[in-house]
Amino acid sequence: MKIGLIGDSLTEGRPGVSFVSFLQKKFPNYRFDNLGKPGETVKSLHTRLTNSPLQKNYDLTFLWIGVNDVYSKLLKIQSQPVVKDHDEFKDYYRNILNNITSSSRYTIAVSPAIIGEDLDNEFNLELRDLSYIIQFITGKHSSIHFLDMNEVFLQLLSTGDRSNFINTSILNIMKDALFYKSPPRIDHLSFKRGLRYTIDGIHLNSHGATIVAEKYGAYIEELLQL
């Protein structure tokens, strides 16, 4: 079986802990193509897939994109272009899905998760809007399933203490990727920042990566009938 994983740095697995490595351990006989790219937005992903189309023989493809269309607005440097409004997001996302579905037997559209572990900040409210848009688009396709990762983390963070830490420095993000590579060190940094599932409010620590791998794994088992 061949599975495509399309997305941004969360899919690539840097900085933070790679959920893809957990999937590879759980499904050793499956091939996982990690097509995550740091800083990717729906606009830049559309360009990438247009210039370099997917191979035509994926059994299952996950699309996890959208967080940088909000998060990049907090950064001093935007590495990739972002959409101007939700209507443009919808158009680009729909075109990306059309590209992917022609190359894959099944497609899972994953909503962006969180920006900061404070559920009430304005960035998470905007991500919720993007999740509704993605859910609306996927509801029109029988071969596309919707995984609401935003809701998953909102439920997990609905109880207990929450930190409002969000890393908005490109330099510090690069330092995290360079100096914090092992899960124990990453989890210790999360603890120091008061974070439960992320290293910086966006990228995953081992607890967050485990949750994402479990959600992805459930779809793999269901759709590919292990």
Side-chain angles (χ1 to χ4, degrees), residues 54-175:
L54 294 175
Q55 300 179 32
K56 296 292 185 180
N57 59 341
Y58 284 108
D59 297 287
L60 176 60
T61 301
F62 290 88
L63 171 63
W64 195 13
I65 196 70
V67 69
N68 285 319
D69 287 272
V70 179
Y71 179 48
S72 64
K73 299 174 186 177
L74 306 180
L75 306 176
K76 293 181 179 179
I77 300 174
Q78 292 185 356
S79 60
Q80 301 293 349
V82 297
V83 295
K84 62 183 179 181
D85 54 34
H86 288 173
D87 286 336
E88 191 172 30
F89 180 92
K90 186 187 302 182
D91 291 339
Y92 275 102
Y93 197 94
R94 186 181 289 112
N95 288 335
I96 290 170
L97 271 183
N98 290 336
N99 184 307
I100 293 174
T101 54
S102 66
S103 305
S104 183
R105 181 182 175 193
Y106 298 109
T107 301
I108 310 297
V110 186
S111 75
I114 54 174
I115 297 176
E117 297 188 3
D118 175 7
L119 306 181
D120 300 321
N121 70 42
E122 61 183 296
F123 319 113
N124 282 322
L125 294 179
E126 186 169 358
L127 289 186
R128 183 77 270 181
D129 290 340
L130 297 187
S131 297
Y132 290 140
I133 290 172
I134 294 171
Q135 185 175 23
F136 174 78
I137 294 172
T138 57
K140 297 180 177 296
H141 299 269
S142 59
S143 63
I144 302 175
H145 299 259
F146 175 64
L147 171 54
D148 194 346
M149 199 63 73
N150 180 263
E151 180 64 23
V152 169
F153 280 98
L154 292 186
Q155 289 295 326
L156 291 168
L157 290 163
S158 62
T159 58
D161 296 333
R162 299 194 298 267
S163 170
N164 61 4
F165 181 92
I166 303 174
N167 194 349
T168 59
S169 166
I170 292 291
L171 180 59
N172 288 336
I173 293 172
M174 293 173 64
K175 286 181 178 178

